[in-house]
Amino acid sequence: EAFATNGLCVSFFGNVFRGALEMNHLGATLVPDAKDTSISGPEGGWKHQAATLFQKHQHFSARILAIDVPTKLVRLSIAPHVLKLANVVNPTSPLSGFPGVGQIVEDCTVVKLDPGIGALLALPPQYNYSDDSETLFSKALTKSSDLFANASFQEACHVRKVYVHISKALDETTTVDAKDSAAAGKFHKDFAPSTKHSVRILNTSHWMEGVAVGGCAPSILSAHVLTHEDLEAGKVYKQVPVSAQLPGGSVLVQLGGSSGVSGKDKKGSSRSKQRSGICGLIPPVHLFDTTSSGSSEYRQRVFQTKYATDAKVDVRVLWVDPLRKRCLATAKKSIVQAPSEEIITNYGDLRVGQVGVGYISKIDSEGVYVTFCNKVYGKVTARSLAAELGVEDHKENYSVGDVVTCRVVKLKRVRRKGSLRSSGEQMEVDEEEENLDQTEDEKSSRREYWELTLSLRVQKGEGDEDVLGKEEIDFRHPQQIRLRPGAILPVKTMKIVELVDGRPKKSGGYIPGYAVVSIKSKYAVSEEYLGKVTMTPDVECKLPYSQLLDSFDPADVASMESLDALAKNVLKVGKKINQKAIMLLDPHKSNVDYSSGIGHMPVVSLRKSLIKAKETETEGTSADAEHIPIVPSPNTNLFVGALVCGFVAQVDKRHGAFIRFLDGMTGLVPKRSGGLGYHLYDTVVTRVRAIDDATQPPRILLEPSGRETPSEQTSFNVGDTIATATVTKINFFHASLKVPDTKSERFFLHCSNKDSNVSVVKHRKKPLPKRSRNKKSVISKSHPFYGMKTGQELKDLTVVSVQRRKDHTEIFVSDKNGAPTSSPSEVNNAPCFIQNASQVRVGMKMTGVVVGYSSENKGVVLQVGPSVKGFVPGFELSRDLNVLNDLESNVPIGAVLECIVLDSKEWYKNRSTCPFGPSHQKKLKALSRKVSNESQLFLSVLGCESKSAELPKPSNGELVIGRINKALPPFDAPSLMLELRAGFVARCCITELDEPDEWQNMPLGHLHGTNSSTSKASREATGDVEMKEDSSSESDDAEDKEDEEEIGEQGDDGYRNGEYLECRVLNYDEKEGLIDVSLRPSRIQGDLDDDPEPQVGDIVQGYVMQTNKKGCFVRLSRAVEGRSTLKELCDGYLPKPESSFPVGRLVLGKVKEVRPAPKKEKHLRESLKFQVDLDMRESTLLQDQENQLSFEDIKVGEKYKGTVQRVEEYGVFVQIQNSSISGLVHMSECSDTFIKSLEALYVPGDLVKVLVLKKDEENQKIGFSMKASHFQEDEDSDDSSVDSDLVDMHDEVED
């Protein structure tokens, strides 16, 4: 319609509406030419130039930008990026190709001048948009108007623009009012159209206008930075002016931005210089390299001169906070001039071994803290300062503000524990507001932090080339280095880095203090790691104060303070120890506390006796091994009689002296052997008396070696003959003897070494009297000492063991003819005197004395030596069921049995092949590891008859003995689990418990689940063979009672737990590790044929396997299984089918279909051959039966037999036999006595007798009674399920 001063006036929608297109939204930028004489005015001859492109009444497309309803003005745009706008939320910015913020663009031409406001400038041609016109206008727009197709218009649209406000045009206009005629005139003159200027890009975010924002003021063009976002932590800014000196000694420097100038206001008064740029703060501690404790006059003069206002200084930015517009800088010369590679600004870019320059920001007792740029900080521990630099007191050597050069030793990323959110409500709100602008990485960084460990030893020291050259452990790939307990450390290899005082114990006494020493890795690391893995150059170890000497004066160890004083007199921080040492403990392989606590550091000792003993052991200069003291570790092959060197770690008045060796191995000198005579922390040499391999490290029983106390030596040796000895005292296990012409020797005859007749295990017609639980074992007729009296003389005794104590010698003798020594004389005979289980091997014969019984007839316990017992399982004791089911009545205490040693590992191996669950297998592996230590003997009496220690395997069709173990989880339930000989496990299917004609309801009692078992059951299931010395102990009583309660939960099923039965092996699957057996009398007689195949239409019986939403699954025989759908279980509605048809219920059903079992399904047993479909509804079962009872036939007062169908809390539902009629027996009519739980007394399927109490003709309901008093006079009252026996059983359950 018309050309305006600042754009075009247009009309649209049939001249109904009027609009305007401002110059910025015309798309085309008309750059004036300075040679063009037609240019005049601030618009730069825009109308004249626009007339060449735009014509009146010319039509084109435009996009509406804004609508002003009151003035009826509409703003439009034909800028290419606005016309192509497709996504308002995420538009394509036309400024994406602009020069970056902060970049200076030369030769920008003024296109249009807004007097008193600003100027629009066009960028040089090299910054134009792409020459491709299709990137500006689509083909549809080009075809819609000749304006968009005009080549001149398209060329003009490629020009980029920048707008410069008057406040950023000249320095004179920064602080002067824009209406000032002088400032406006200068701006109007300098920024006339077609003039050229250098512009610095300040902002490119105004994408809708398509114009960038810039500045032309000299202060802007020369500034280092423009905003706080432009500042970089760690960057050096040179020759920046000082803005001001602040109170307290801090200094402000101007890092960038524009500055005002001196001038006069309108009144002619002078104006002071003002700073409006980017400032940084230099704290007093960062003004100079070295800090001064006081403000000297010289330091003040230097400060006033160097940091005077407008003085130029070089600074390095430490950190910047753009959000709060804060910046901290340093003027320390050492940090400012440091190489860029030594400036640390980010944890993520760090690497182990990197060197960086920082300043000390904090000092405490643990060390010094060094801060770098961007708030990166690390710690130099006091230990490393002492070990590497010999610094004794770091608080005196270093001050806050000191510049240091550090080396990165360790970098670790740690996740914070707990929530970062404060419990205060205000803190929660602030964090939520702050999290709005945080990315996931920023939030994650708040949940994690870095731990940076530094070292001030940057250069390699003498002897460090080989170690430091390999670099320390990388924090991303740490490697654990094993140390060498027993390693001898040479002289001057340990440097003391810290002294830690002892601390008191809560229970009394104290924990000795220790010195932290630094040792070269090559002396402490195991040889297999040297040269093969990356490791730290030094290893920090603990040197407890109790390890300084071989023996201490009692006054020095009487208190914690006295021991600390003794240590501090000889140990100095930063000094090397001029003495050899021995490594005692690797903390990665032992958890033993060496008096001072182990933590994560190894423990070393300065005991000269230990070092000498270890060196002698390593050299092996003597051939007499029994007389060379050794320093043992858990890997040492110890033997009884060996001399060992250790130190007294504790003296307990209750037990004796505990002797500590290498890597956690500990021994005990009992107080009866003189253990209380040792002094705490003294080095001693003892002799091994017994070894217990059940634990790791093994426990050792020690005795004095005679080297500490030169007591009189004995003249007796193993194998010597004693002519006569007199019995002075007799107890169950040994007899004390007196030998003439002896002084310090004590003589004993153990029951296992007494010559006596071997007992034969057999069934006794007259049972042995039962022992009282609290009565001690007495010497019976079968005992080897039976008939022996005090004062009796024994002749021709042979010495079988000599054990030296501190103040006496114990000598064991035997009266057996040709008694062997402690080593076997024949391959198949065990030693006469067995001191530990390691002396015997599998297959050896030996005799033992019965000392106890295991619970539930598992077996008997034998005493085969003074401190060694053996266990004989019932399967290995006899083949007579009468003997096995009552061991106490047939095997007397004190009987001597001849046995052969079995391989217990083989027994556990056979048990491990059974298909137990993961929990059972895990416990079984633990038990197998325990057995591998050979801490107990596994014996067999039957093995002596067969003269073989091999455990027999069962075979198909074999008649074997099994022991019921209800604690074993049932496999393929319902089934009865049994144990067989040699550790095998057998399963008896519920259909194989008895002949089909003798089947009863719930033969295995209440089966609440198919695989339920308690923790106690799990232990027995894995085969944890118990070795109980005496079953009369209180702990055994409690355990037996616990077993009875566990088994009692399954109900009384007639199969006693622990009972031995004769059974026939039907199938042995070695892959599954399970054996199928049968208890049917016909199977025992030899009938191994399967039950006949059911035919369609047959009425069959079976046991419920499982009831779920798919139906009721029934086992008809071991080869046939059936299924009945839920709708075919009952004619009526069953609210809880799984309660009405529990596992183990005996049911009837009619066969609908018979089909072979699929062979490809893995979950099916191999013995399963057929699957059938059943209909178990009463109407189906009775449809062919004659003389069925109807509702009218039922008479009140009559008695009928029935079957329990359902048990509820309020009563029992019973169905009368030979009918489909059922009724309710109310809870009050179930028994003559009070019943707390009906489910404990009745289960579905039970046969009962009922008395009709009432009959509701209208509702077809019947009420029954099952009180025992109604049936006392009946001839078949014994068959009733509510007789007095069941009532008594119920009372027992209640009790």
Side-chain angles (χ1 to χ4, degrees):
E1 296 289 341
F3 292 95
T5 304
N6 194 29
L8 300 177
C9 296
V10 297
S11 62
F12 56 97
F13 291 162
N15 297 330
V16 176
F17 296 95
R18 296 289 187 268
L21 279 82
E22 295 180 359
M23 184 180 295
N24 292 342
H25 285 279
L26 290 178
T29 302
L30 303 177
V31 182
D33 188 359
K35 298 180 181 180
D36 191 352
T37 58
S38 62
I39 297 177
S40 63
E43 70 277 3
W46 178 84
K47 292 183 180 180
H48 176 72
Q49 291 181 304
T52 61
L53 297 179
F54 301 96
Q55 300 177 5
K56 289 187 177 181
H57 307 293
Q58 186 179 24
H59 292 270
F60 49 83
S61 299
R63 185 180 291 276
I64 297 176
L65 295 182
I67 302 174
D68 188 0
V69 178
T71 59
K72 298 183 179 180
L73 292 179
V74 180
R75 287 188 60 196
L76 302 170
S77 175
I78 60 173
H81 71 279
V82 177
L83 290 176
K84 295 193 302 179
L85 184 63
N87 188 351
V88 181
V89 179
N90 187 21
T92 301
S93 176
L95 304 179
S96 58
F98 256 72
V101 175
Q103 183 175 346
I104 298 177
V105 181
E106 305 288 344
D107 297 331
C108 295
T109 305
V110 178
V111 176
K112 175 179 174 293
L113 176 66
D114 295 329
I117 300 176
L120 181 68
L121 291 86
L123 270 64
Q126 60 265 29
Y127 296 101
N128 287 353
Y129 288 103
S130 173
D131 293 337
D132 188 3
S133 61
E134 293 184 0
T135 60
L136 297 178
F137 299 100
S138 63
K139 293 182 179 180
L141 286 175
T142 305
K143 294 180 180 179
S144 64
S145 174
D146 55 354
L147 174 64
F148 299 138
N150 189 340
S152 299
F153 178 79
Q154 291 181 358
E155 182 180 356
C157 288
H158 285 79
V159 179
R160 297 182 186 271
K161 295 163 288 185
V162 60
Y163 195 85
V164 179
H165 191 265
I166 187 174
S167 62
K168 294 179 175 58
L170 301 170
D171 284 336
E172 290 81 352
T173 61
T174 302
T175 58
V176 178
D177 188 358
K179 296 182 180 180
D180 190 339
S181 59
K186 182 173 178 53
F187 174 71
H188 189 278
K189 178 180 178 181
D190 292 347
F191 285 83
S194 75
T195 58
K196 295 183 180 295
H197 300 271
S198 297
V199 181
R200 189 168 196 168
I201 306 298
L202 301 180
N203 194 328
T204 59
S205 60
H206 303 290
W207 68 270
M208 179 61 76
E209 300 296 331
V211 178
V213 178
C216 296
S219 59
I220 295 178
L221 296 176
S222 61
H224 291 282
V225 293
L226 300 176
T227 63
H228 283 82
E229 288 83 355
D230 300 332
L231 290 174
E232 297 181 18
K235 186 176 180 180
V236 175
Y237 295 90
K238 296 185 176 182
Q239 298 300 301
V240 295
V242 176
S243 298
Q245 296 180 1
L246 303 180
S250 299
V251 173
L252 276 180
V253 294
Q254 184 170 350
L255 300 174
S258 61
S259 62
V261 296
S262 300
K264 296 182 179 180
D265 57 16
K266 294 181 178 181
K267 296 182 181 181
S269 60
S270 175
R271 297 190 302 267
S272 61
K273 184 175 292 187
Q274 299 179 1
R275 302 291 179 183
S276 60
I278 309 303
C279 294
L281 177 67
I282 304 178
V285 74
H286 284 282
L287 297 175
F288 301 96
D289 263 0
T290 59
T291 57
S292 177
S293 58
S295 57
S296 63
E297 183 179 353
Y298 174 75
R299 177 62 66 91
Q300 287 295 329
R301 290 201 306 268
V302 174
F303 172 76
Q304 294 296 339
T305 304
K306 184 177 180 179
Y307 296 101
T309 304
D310 287 335
K312 304 290 185 178
V313 294
D314 295 343
V315 298
R316 187 184 293 273
V317 174
L318 295 178
W319 59 264
V320 60
D321 186 353
L323 184 62
R324 296 176 175 84
K325 300 186 183 309
R326 296 177 182 176
C327 174
L328 186 69
T330 180
K332 289 179 177 292
K333 187 176 181 180
S334 301
I335 298 180
V336 174
Q337 297 180 357
S340 58
E341 59 270 13
E342 294 183 3
I343 300 301
I344 298 175
T345 58
N346 188 8
Y347 285 106
D349 296 336
L350 285 177
R351 67 184 186 280
V352 175
Q354 181 177 345
V355 176
V357 177
Y359 64 95
I360 296 176
S361 57
K362 179 182 176 183
I363 300 178
D364 59 13
S365 59
E366 296 182 358
V368 298
Y369 295 83
V370 181
T371 301
F372 305 96
C373 297
N374 209 13
K375 296 183 179 181
V376 176
Y377 66 92
K379 179 181 178 182
V380 183
T381 63
R383 295 177 184 174
S384 65
L385 291 174
E388 298 170 352
L389 304 179
V391 177
E392 186 172 350
D393 189 355
H394 60 278
K395 293 183 179 180
E396 296 182 0
N397 292 66
Y398 299 96
S399 302
V400 173
D402 289 352
V403 179
V404 292
T405 303
C406 310
R407 179 169 51 88
V408 178
V409 174
K410 183 179 180 182
L411 184 63
K412 182 180 180 182
R413 195 167 189 173
V414 182
R415 189 173 183 87
R416 298 182 187 272
K417 295 182 179 180
S419 175
L420 293 175
R421 193 175 296 278
S422 172
S423 58
E425 182 179 358
Q426 183 63 37
M427 177 60 72
E428 293 184 2
V429 175
D430 294 343
E431 287 190 354
E432 287 186 3
E433 293 177 354
E434 186 177 350
N435 286 341
L436 293 177
D437 299 329
Q438 289 181 344
T439 63
E440 287 298 326
D441 293 339
E442 291 173 343
K443 294 179 181 179
S444 176
S445 64
R446 297 189 64 208
R447 295 191 293 266
E448 297 179 340
Y449 65 95
W450 293 88
E451 287 184 357
L452 177 60
T453 305
L454 305 171
S455 173
L456 296 186
R457 187 180 65 174
V458 180
Q459 301 295 332
K460 301 177 183 178
E462 295 182 3
D464 292 344
E465 291 79 2
D466 296 338
V467 182
L468 289 176
K470 295 182 179 180
E471 205 65 70
E472 288 82 355
I473 298 175
D474 191 300
F475 74 98
R476 298 182 181 87
H477 305 285
Q479 289 178 321
Q480 190 178 32
I481 305 299
R482 294 298 188 187
L483 305 180
R484 292 181 294 165
I488 304 299
L489 306 177
V491 177
K492 293 186 177 182
T493 56
M494 297 185 296
K495 180 184 287 187
I496 303 172
V497 297
E498 186 180 1
L499 297 178
V500 181
D501 293 338
R503 61 183 188 273
K505 289 183 179 179
K506 294 182 179 179
S507 58
Y510 65 93
I511 299 176
Y514 59 91
V516 179
V517 296
S518 177
I519 306 174
K520 298 297 181 183
S521 298
K522 60 183 179 181
Y523 297 116
V525 174
S526 181
E527 296 178 354
E528 59 181 309
Y529 293 96
L530 292 177
K532 298 181 181 179
V533 297
T534 304
M535 66 187 73
T536 55
D538 300 310
V539 178
E540 288 187 347
C541 302
K542 281 186 178 182
L543 173 59
Y545 295 161
S546 59
Q547 299 296 325
L548 298 178
L549 303 172
D550 275 327
S551 62
F552 292 83
D553 189 289
D556 292 334
V557 297
S559 65
M560 173 181 64
E561 293 76 9
S562 60
L563 184 59
D564 291 342
L566 172 65
K568 292 180 180 179
N569 287 335
V570 296
L571 301 178
K572 300 296 181 182
V573 175
K575 303 298 182 182
K576 290 186 177 182
I577 299 177
N578 190 19
Q579 186 177 334
K580 291 183 179 180
I582 183 173
M583 186 79 66
L584 291 182
L585 171 72
D586 180 359
H588 300 298
K589 296 191 292 185
S590 176
N591 59 354
V592 176
D593 188 345
Y594 272 73
S595 300
S596 298
I598 58 172
H600 63 282
M601 291 190 291
V603 181
V604 296
S605 174
L606 299 181
R607 296 177 181 270
K608 295 181 179 180
S609 298
L610 283 181
I611 298 172
K612 182 178 180 181
K614 190 63 180 178
E615 290 177 340
T616 305
E617 176 188 349
T618 304
E619 294 172 0
T621 56
S622 176
D624 190 0
E626 292 186 359
H627 296 85
I628 300 177
I630 62 174
V631 186
S633 68
N635 298 325
T636 304
N637 295 323
L638 276 181
F639 57 91
V640 176
L643 289 176
V644 290
C645 183
F647 62 92
V648 180
Q650 182 183 357
V651 178
D652 193 322
K653 295 181 179 180
R654 299 169 299 174
H655 307 291
F658 291 91
I659 312 301
R660 188 67 49 78
F661 305 103
L662 296 179
D663 214 9
M665 177 171 279
T666 305
L668 172 66
V669 180
K671 62 179 182 180
R672 68 185 182 91
S673 299
L676 299 181
Y678 290 105
H679 297 291
L680 186 63
Y681 303 141
D682 282 0
T683 305
V684 295
V685 177
T686 56
R687 189 180 298 275
V688 178
R689 179 182 176 186
I691 303 174
D692 182 8
D693 298 331
T695 60
Q696 188 64 25
R699 291 175 292 186
I700 310 171
L701 187 63
L702 304 172
E703 61 185 4
S705 63
R707 295 196 174 194
E708 296 81 9
T709 56
S711 58
E712 184 177 355
Q713 300 294 326
T714 180
S715 59
F716 291 92
N717 295 312
V718 175
D720 292 349
T721 301
I722 298 176
T724 60
T726 304
V727 179
T728 59
K729 184 179 178 181
I730 303 174
N731 61 27
F732 185 86
F733 292 100
H734 63 262
S736 300
L737 307 178
K738 177 63 176 176
V739 177
D741 300 330
T742 57
K743 297 180 180 181
S744 60
E745 293 87 357
R746 298 179 184 179
F747 296 86
F748 300 95
L749 174 61
H750 195 265
C751 61
S752 60
N753 299 125
K754 182 70 174 68
D755 189 18
S756 59
N757 296 325
V758 177
S759 301
V760 178
V761 180
K762 62 181 180 179
H763 176 57
R764 297 176 181 267
K765 296 182 180 180
K766 184 179 180 181
L768 296 172
K770 298 291 185 179
R771 291 191 308 156
S772 174
R773 283 285 184 179
N774 299 324
K775 187 177 180 181
K776 294 184 178 180
S777 300
V778 297
I779 298 176
S780 62
K781 293 183 179 180
S782 302
H783 197 278
F785 291 163
Y786 183 75
M788 184 183 295
K789 299 179 182 180
T790 303
Q792 180 180 346
E793 287 191 358
L794 303 179
K795 298 182 179 182
D796 298 331
L797 302 177
T798 303
V799 177
V800 293
S801 175
V802 178
Q803 301 179 13
R804 295 178 177 85
R805 304 290 181 246
K806 188 171 184 179
D807 55 350
H808 69 278
T809 303
E810 292 183 357
I811 299 176
F812 286 86
V813 298
S814 174
D815 63 348
K816 295 182 179 180
N817 294 328
T821 61
S822 59
S823 59
S825 59
E826 297 182 13
V827 176
N828 293 330
N829 290 335
C832 178
F833 186 83
I834 301 176
Q835 193 164 350
N836 56 71
S838 61
Q839 293 179 261
V840 298
R841 298 188 299 272
V842 176
M844 285 186 173
K845 289 184 179 181
M846 64 177 60
T847 58
V849 179
V850 178
V851 296
Y853 310 101
S854 182
S855 61
E856 297 178 349
N857 294 318
K858 289 188 181 74
V860 297
V861 181
L862 303 183
Q863 192 80 31
V864 298
S867 58
V868 181
K869 291 183 175 64
F871 177 72
V872 183
F875 295 107
E876 303 294 338
L877 189 64
S878 175
R879 297 185 179 89
D880 192 338
L881 295 179
N882 296 320
V883 174
L884 296 178
N885 286 318
D886 193 359
L887 294 178
E888 293 190 27
S889 299
N890 295 279
V891 182
I893 291 292
V896 178
L897 301 181
E898 186 179 24
C899 309
I900 192 170
V901 181
L902 300 179
D903 188 359
S904 57
K905 297 179 182 179
E906 187 69 21
W907 191 95
Y908 281 95
K909 180 180 179 182
N910 295 337
R911 177 59 60 91
S912 64
T913 59
C914 302
F916 292 123
S919 61
H920 297 287
Q921 293 290 352
K922 183 178 180 180
K923 293 181 180 181
L924 189 62
K925 290 180 180 179
L927 290 172
S928 179
R929 288 193 296 268
K930 179 180 178 181
V931 171
S932 63
N933 294 324
E934 298 181 359
S935 59
Q936 63 184 20
L937 296 179
F938 204 63
L939 307 175
S940 172
V941 174
L942 299 180
C944 291
E945 299 178 4
S946 60
K947 298 181 181 181
S948 173
E950 183 178 356
L951 296 176
K953 289 186 178 181
S955 58
N956 292 337
E958 183 181 358
L959 194 63
V960 297
I961 295 177
R963 178 180 173 273
I964 298 176
N965 189 346
K966 293 184 179 180
L968 288 171
F971 185 77
D972 198 10
S975 58
L976 181 67
M977 303 302 293
L978 301 95
E979 294 176 332
L980 303 183
R981 189 179 178 187
F984 292 99
V985 174
R987 166 191 171 273
C988 182
C989 178
I990 192 172
T991 60
E992 295 293 333
L993 295 177
D994 207 346
E995 301 294 345
D997 296 340
E998 302 295 333
W999 284 358
Q1000 297 180 359
N1001 185 47
M1002 308 294 288
L1004 297 178
H1006 293 270
L1007 300 176
H1008 301 292
T1010 58
N1011 292 308
S1012 62
S1013 60
T1014 60
S1015 59
K1016 181 70 165 62
S1018 301
R1019 292 198 305 270
E1020 294 196 8
T1022 55
D1024 187 7
V1025 178
E1026 302 177 62
M1027 294 183 58
K1028 300 183 180 179
E1029 179 178 352
D1030 193 347
S1031 60
S1032 63
S1033 63
E1034 294 181 1
S1035 60
D1036 293 346
D1037 293 341
E1039 193 169 329
D1040 293 343
K1041 185 176 181 180
E1042 180 184 349
D1043 292 343
E1044 292 173 1
E1045 291 177 354
E1046 277 188 47
I1047 304 303
E1049 294 178 358
Q1050 302 179 10
D1052 186 9
D1053 54 11
Y1055 294 94
R1056 180 170 54 87
N1057 189 52
E1059 181 181 3
Y1060 290 87
L1061 301 171
E1062 199 173 30
C1063 51
R1064 180 74 67 177
V1065 178
L1066 299 180
N1067 181 45
Y1068 174 34
D1069 188 353
E1070 294 189 8
K1071 293 182 179 179
E1072 289 289 340
L1074 197 66
I1075 303 170
D1076 284 334
V1077 298
S1078 175
L1079 299 180
R1080 289 187 186 180
S1082 60
R1083 304 286 196 201
I1084 303 299
Q1085 297 298 325
D1087 184 10
L1088 301 180
D1089 296 335
D1090 292 335
D1091 294 339
E1093 175 188 351
Q1095 303 297 322
V1096 176
D1098 290 350
I1099 295 179
V1100 295
Q1101 62 179 350
Y1103 289 102
V1104 175
M1105 299 167 51
Q1106 186 183 9
T1107 304
N1108 53 31
K1109 61 182 181 180
K1110 294 183 180 181
C1112 180
F1113 295 86
V1114 181
R1115 183 169 294 157
L1116 308 181
S1117 67
R1118 62 186 298 266
V1120 183
E1121 292 181 359
R1123 183 181 77 105
S1124 175
T1125 60
L1126 293 179
K1127 65 179 181 180
E1128 294 179 332
L1129 285 179
C1130 181
D1131 289 318
Y1133 170 71
L1134 288 177
K1136 297 180 180 178
E1138 62 276 4
S1139 300
S1140 300
F1141 291 89
V1143 177
R1145 176 182 173 178
L1146 183 63
V1147 296
L1148 295 176
K1150 189 172 184 178
V1151 179
K1152 296 171 52 181
E1153 181 184 355
V1154 181
R1155 58 184 177 275
K1159 297 298 182 183
K1160 295 183 179 180
E1161 298 187 18
K1162 296 182 180 180
H1163 66 280
L1164 296 179
R1165 295 176 289 106
E1166 293 185 1
S1167 60
L1168 184 62
K1169 298 180 180 179
F1170 300 99
Q1171 291 180 336
V1172 300
D1173 291 338
L1174 301 174
D1175 190 341
M1176 297 166 55
R1177 291 175 295 183
E1178 295 84 353
S1179 58
T1180 303
L1181 298 176
L1182 299 175
Q1183 64 182 358
D1184 298 332
Q1185 191 170 353
E1186 299 179 355
N1187 301 325
Q1188 296 184 27
L1189 294 177
S1190 62
F1191 188 81
E1192 291 75 12
D1193 297 333
I1194 305 302
K1195 305 298 182 182
V1196 176
E1198 292 292 333
K1199 300 175 182 178
Y1200 299 93
K1201 291 183 178 181
T1203 305
V1204 175
Q1205 296 294 315
R1206 196 165 82 246
V1207 180
E1208 302 291 348
E1209 295 180 356
Y1210 51 84
V1212 179
F1213 289 90
V1214 179
Q1215 179 179 347
I1216 297 178
Q1217 288 185 357
N1218 196 26
S1219 73
S1220 59
I1221 301 170
S1222 60
L1224 172 66
V1225 182
H1226 191 266
M1227 186 177 185
S1228 60
E1229 296 293 335
C1230 289
S1231 176
D1232 291 312
T1233 59
F1234 172 74
I1235 298 178
K1236 185 176 180 180
S1237 174
L1238 291 175
E1239 293 183 353
L1241 191 59
Y1242 300 100
V1243 293
D1246 285 348
L1247 297 178
V1248 295
K1249 288 185 67 176
V1250 294
L1251 173 69
V1252 180
L1253 295 180
K1254 56 185 177 180
K1255 183 178 179 183
D1256 187 352
E1257 298 285 350
E1258 181 178 356
N1259 296 321
Q1260 297 286 304
K1261 293 183 178 180
I1262 300 177
F1264 295 134
S1265 175
M1266 294 193 301
K1267 290 183 178 180
S1269 57
H1270 296 316
F1271 311 98
Q1272 289 179 354
E1273 298 180 357
D1274 294 352
E1275 296 180 357
D1276 57 348
S1277 61
D1278 292 340
D1279 295 334
S1280 174
S1281 62
V1282 293
D1283 56 10
S1284 58
D1285 293 338
L1286 285 180
V1287 175
D1288 293 340
M1289 180 197 72
H1290 170 70
D1291 294 338
E1292 293 177 1
V1293 172
E1294 292 300 319
D1295 293 340

